[in-house]
Amino acid sequence: MIARLRDQGIQDEAVLAAMYEVPRHLFVDEALASRAYDDVSLPINYEQTISRPYIVARMVEALRGFSDMKRVFEVGTGCGYQAAVLAHVFPEVCTVERIEPLYERARKLLSDLGIRNAELRHADGSNGLPDKAPFDGIILAAAAPVMSRTLREQLAIGGRMVLPMGTQEQWLYLIEREASGFRESRLEPVKFVPLLMGKA
Ligand code: SAH
C-alpha cells in the first residue's frame, strides 16, 4: 500500500510512516479485511464508508502542508482509521462522530491500539468544537454543501482546513487562514458521504 501511495504522488514521509503503522484491516469488518489495503473505499455500516487509502493520505498530506502542527480537529470519526493516522502525525487530535455505535466502536479500537492523544466525542461536528478551538488543522470526512464559516473561524492564524465540498459534484478544498483572511484552493474531484446535522 505504501509503495502504491508513493506511485500515486504522496510524498510526505510523516503521512506514509503513519499509514504504514496503523493496521487498516482492524478498522473494517472481518469479512472485508482481505481488501483493507486495496485502493478502495469500504462500507463501515450505517451507510457510511472508510475512504480509500489514497484519499486519506492526500487529505492528511494537504492538511499538514509539510509543516508541524499541534492540534487538529476531525469531523466524522467513522471507523476511526483516519483519526488513528492523524494521531500518528499530530500531537493532539480531537474527533467527533454523530452516529453513536460508530463512535463507541472507534473509541474502543483506538484505546485498544494504545492511541492516547486522540479525544473522541459523540457529537455533531458541523459547528465545530468551540471549547477546543482554535485548531491548527481541521479535516472533514463528510461533504458540506457550502463552506462553513463557523468551522473556518475555528482555525488559528496559519491554520489549514481540508474538506470535501459540493452536492452533485464534489471537490476537495484546502482553506488556509492568513492574518489578512482566507485563501481557498480547489484540489481534486472526490466522492464523500454528506455531512449531516444532529446526533444519531
Ligand atoms: N474518517 C472516517 C470516514 C468516515 S465517513 C474513517 O476513517 O472511517 C464520514 C463520517 O462522518 C460518517 O461516519 C458520518 O456519520 C460522519 N458525519 C457526517 N456528518 C457529521 C457531523 N455533522 N458531525 C459528526 N460526524 C458526521
Side-chain angles (χ1 to χ4, degrees):
M1 178 179 84
I2 302 301
R4 190 182 57 227
L5 290 172
R6 286 188 199 280
D7 286 347
Q8 288 169 317
I10 305 301
Q11 295 175 3
D12 190 330
E13 293 298 332
V15 175
L16 292 164
M19 292 188 61
Y20 179 77
E21 288 293 324
V22 177
R24 187 171 158 94
H25 62 281
L26 299 182
F27 290 84
V28 296
D29 283 349
E30 253 171 79
L32 297 171
S34 65
R35 299 179 63 200
Y37 297 91
D38 294 351
D39 200 24
V40 291
S41 58
L42 294 169
I44 54 169
N45 301 318
Y46 311 98
E47 292 171 37
Q48 306 304 323
T49 52
I50 177 175
S51 301
R52 64 194 180 103
Y54 166 74
I55 287 294
V56 174
R58 179 77 176 100
M59 288 180 76
V60 181
E61 181 175 82
L63 182 69
R64 197 170 96 85
F66 298 93
S67 68
D68 290 335
M69 285 182 172
K70 194 168 174 285
R71 183 189 291 167
V72 303
F73 173 48
E74 177 191 46
V75 179
T77 316
C79 66
Y81 175 71
Q82 182 169 274
V85 171
L86 292 169
H88 277 73
V89 175
F90 304 103
E92 195 182 335
V93 177
C94 303
T95 177
V96 299
E97 170 56 54
R98 62 181 289 278
I99 299 178
E100 188 161 24
L102 286 176
Y103 153 77
E104 292 288 358
R105 210 176 55 184
R107 195 177 58 157
K108 178 168 189 315
L109 187 48
L110 265 59
S111 155
D112 289 349
L113 289 172
I115 295 172
R116 305 265 172 270
N117 59 329
E119 180 184 330
L120 284 76
R121 290 193 198 170
H122 173 220
D124 174 353
S126 44
N127 288 319
L129 215 52
D131 63 307
K132 287 278 179 175
F135 299 100
D136 302 307
I138 299 179
I139 187 165
L140 270 71
V146 291
M147 170 58 55
S148 156
R149 289 177 188 281
T150 320
L151 272 176
R152 207 171 74 160
E153 289 301 328
Q154 292 181 19
L155 276 179
I157 305 288
R160 298 158 72 87
M161 171 154 79
V162 175
L163 74 162
M165 206 164 40
T167 42
Q168 296 295 339
E169 187 186 298
Q170 296 175 3
W171 285 76
L172 199 60
Y173 285 82
L174 168 67
I175 312 295
E176 294 165 274
R177 183 168 200 177
E178 297 163 352
S180 55
F182 296 91
R183 184 160 33 150
E184 186 175 301
S185 339
R186 204 169 82 154
L187 304 179
E188 61 189 89
V190 286
K191 203 167 162 28
F192 275 81
V193 295
L195 187 73
L196 299 173
M197 305 295 241
K199 291 205 271 184

